[in-house]
Amino acid sequence: AQKITQTQPGMFVQEKEAVTLDCTYDTSDPSYGLFWYKQPSSGEMIFLIYQGSYDQQNATEGRYSLNFQKARKSANLVISASQLGDSAMYFCAMVLQGGSEKLVFGKGTKLTVNP
Amino acid sequence: GAGVSQSPSNKVTEKGKDVELRCDPISGHTALYWYRQSLGQGLEFLIYFQGNSAPDKSGLPSDRFSAERTGGSVSTLTIQRTQQEDSAVYLCASSLGRRVSGANVLTFGAGSRLTVL
């Protein structure tokens, strides 16, 4: 089984600054994948970034990067140069590869970018 | 189709009635997922299909909930004798193949908002 914990219900950041959204996970399985999704107020789920448990380097996608610390079982999302459009809910999720292919989500963090 | 299509987008029903929610995945996607999102909460896994079979239905909250998928495409989630606690947004997602990864991510539909009065 897998578990995802997001301890920050809400975060605030000034436009153009960087922000880190925390995610910790719990599994004894050695093969897994970690995802971040964005959910704007319109409700759609938008895939942002992926990190595999065997990936040697931290994933990056444009302004998004994933700070993967395997020993600490953390997979924090870093958003650089925040924009007003980044205001949304952010969900961390995990899949156990080789087991059930279900994606298990954390409770989310609401990010507000202030002008 | 171009994206995951869900219908209806909104459904208001009375307690005790049955409802059906439909999901039409991206063409060629063999995996299909149902999730439930209550107001202000995270996504709760309900069931996962690979083709027409459901290897994991561990998230269905009670025997009032059932889902089927036919022809490896469209899926229907049925809630019988609805209760007020069933009120939520029901999200469907699909993916290309068996192994979820960065190259095979879940693509979500816009959801079906269910309100049980």
Side-chain angles (χ1 to χ4, degrees), chain A residues 40-107:
Chain A
S41 57
S42 54
E44 76 267 33
M45 294 288 287
I46 302 168
F47 166 71
L48 296 178
I49 197 167
Y50 168 83
Q51 179 87 41
S53 60
Y54 294 118
D55 292 344
Q56 295 297 314
Q57 293 188 318
N58 287 344
T60 61
E61 288 287 348
R63 294 186 299 110
Y64 304 107
S65 61
L66 201 153
N67 184 2
F68 181 46
Q69 298 188 39
K70 198 168 182 177
R72 294 184 178 184
K73 295 189 175 180
S74 73
N76 299 339
L77 177 70
V78 181
I79 305 174
S80 63
S82 296
Q83 302 172 355
L84 296 178
D86 293 335
S87 293
M89 285 290 293
Y90 288 81
F91 293 98
C92 181
M94 178 178 189
V95 66
L96 296 182
Q97 286 156 345
S100 167
E101 290 292 322
K102 69 182 179 187
L103 203 56
V104 173
F105 285 82
K107 293 188 181 301

Side-chain angles (χ1 to χ4, degrees), chain A residues 2-77:
Chain A
Q2 69 263 50
K3 183 179 178 181
I4 292 284
T5 303
Q6 294 181 256
T7 57
Q8 306 156 315
M11 288 284 286
F12 294 86
V13 66
Q14 287 297 121
E15 194 177 8
K16 300 180 185 177
E17 293 187 349
V19 63
T20 298
L21 306 183
D22 293 343
C23 173
T24 58
Y25 59 92
D26 188 21
T27 183
S28 57
D29 197 297
S31 181
Y32 51 88
L34 297 156
F35 299 76
W36 278 91
Y37 277 82
K38 173 184 178 181
Q39 188 180 44
S41 57
S42 54
E44 76 267 33
M45 294 288 287
I46 302 168
F47 166 71
L48 296 178
I49 197 167
Y50 168 83
Q51 179 87 41
S53 60
Y54 294 118
D55 292 344
Q56 295 297 314
Q57 293 188 318
N58 287 344
T60 61
E61 288 287 348
R63 294 186 299 110
Y64 304 107
S65 61
L66 201 153
N67 184 2
F68 181 46
Q69 298 188 39
K70 198 168 182 177
R72 294 184 178 184
K73 295 189 175 180
S74 73
N76 299 339
L77 177 70

Side-chain angles (χ1 to χ4, degrees), chain A residues 37-40 42-46, chain B residues 2-9 22-26 29 32-35 37 43 89-95 106-113:
Chain A
Y37 277 82
K38 173 184 178 181
Q39 188 180 44
S42 54
E44 76 267 33
M45 294 288 287
I46 302 168
Chain B
V4 178
S5 179
Q6 292 189 245
S7 61
S9 55
R22 175 189 167 105
C23 174
D24 198 345
I26 292 172
H29 279 196
L32 186 147
Y33 302 75
W34 283 99
Y35 286 86
Q37 186 175 28
L43 278 70
V89 175
Y90 290 81
L91 291 162
C92 177
S94 69
S95 68
L106 271 63
T107 301
F108 283 82
S112 292
R113 181 176 298 276

Side-chain angles (χ1 to χ4, degrees), chain B residues 5 19 33 41 66 78 90:
Chain B
S5 179
V19 296
Y33 302 75
Q41 300 298 309
S66 62
T78 302
Y90 290 81

